[in-house]
Amino acid sequence: MDALDCIRRRRSVREYSEQKIGREILEQIVDAGRLAPTANNIQPWEFVVVTKKGMLEKFGSITNYGGFIKGAAACILVFCKDTKYYLEDGCAATENVLLAAESFGIGACWVAGDKKSYVDEVRALAGAPEGHKLVAIISLGYPKAGAPAKTKRPLVEILHWEKFG
Ligand SMILES: Cc1cc2nc3c(=O)[nH]c(=O)nc-3n(C[C@H](O)[C@H](O)[C@H](O)COP(=O)(O)O)c2cc1C
């Protein structure tokens, strides 16, 4: 799939079919996260792929806006070491993961990690070492239904040539 098509088609998907996602595809999705840019090329990240139903249910129950994770085929936890630009780096990886999922026809949704009260609980469940920040939880699954397209601010409103007009 063309990169721009992929970017244009991607929408958060929160309802998934029962179909599992192959391990090789999950590996390729994480590999796309690995290739994201990072400040000073530090690559502070670690990715945990979770497919066990019990764990998915647990993440669904402890996140305040991520209840749908329990119906996902998998989720990817994006952790970063506590570097100066961990959040920017982790977010770049998260977006790559979302786009890679889209390219495989897999629905995904970014569930907040950083700044949330449940970060320590997720870290403990994932066995992540101290000093690792949870940037995002990404739920994944083959879409059950087409995601409703969220409206986006029009280009003409957000694009400023040379300076704010
Ligand atoms: C930092 C961040 C945190 C988010 N957290 C959640 C969340 O906790 N639960 C959720 O359902 N969606 C979450 N989202 C997804 C947004 O709701 C979604 O991207 C937005 O509504 C735009 O829709 P779209 O992704 O379909 O373009 C998050 C997105 C970002 C970037």
Side-chain angles (χ1 to χ4, degrees):
M1 190 190 291
D2 172 69
L4 268 181
D5 278 350
C6 191
I7 289 167
R8 289 183 180 127
R9 285 168 54 128
R10 186 216 59 84
R11 286 292 182 273
S12 295
V13 174
R14 299 177 178 87
E15 281 187 73
Y16 312 102
S17 75
E18 294 293 311
Q19 192 180 343
K20 299 224 177 323
I21 304 171
R23 201 178 168 92
E24 226 177 81
I25 290 180
L26 287 168
E27 268 180 24
Q28 289 192 64
I29 289 173
V30 171
D31 201 42
R34 179 181 72 86
L35 297 172
T38 52
N40 293 311
N41 197 27
I42 286 178
Q43 306 172 55
W45 42 53
E46 308 288 338
F47 302 87
V48 181
V49 181
V50 177
T51 58
K52 292 207 168 92
K53 194 81 193 153
M55 286 288 271
L56 294 168
E57 282 170 359
K58 188 86 188 142
F59 293 134
S61 68
I62 61 178
T63 49
N64 45 2
Y65 296 106
F68 51 87
I69 300 170
K70 65 177 181 299
C75 75
I76 295 173
L77 311 173
V78 181
F79 288 98
C80 281
K81 289 186 200 83
D82 190 6
T83 57
K84 184 172 180 188
Y85 293 107
Y86 80 90
L87 190 54
E88 291 88 338
D89 294 347
C91 288
T94 299
E95 179 66 2
N96 268 18
V97 165
L98 295 178
L99 291 172
E102 175 66 34
S103 78
F104 285 109
I106 290 168
C109 186
W110 181 330
V111 175
D114 194 68
K115 303 181 186 70
K116 288 294 196 177
S117 58
Y118 47 78
V119 289
D120 287 337
E121 202 173 345
V122 174
R123 205 181 53 229
L125 284 163
E130 280 292 319
H132 281 69
K133 304 276 223 175
L134 176 71
V135 174
I137 303 172
I138 305 161
S139 60
L140 297 160
Y142 289 96
K144 197 173 196 175
K150 288 274 175 75
T151 52
K152 300 287 177 183
R153 292 175 61 197
L155 186 65
V156 66
E157 184 183 308
I158 53 95
L159 171 60
H160 311 278
W161 288 104
E162 319 303 349
K163 62 177 200 168
F164 271 73

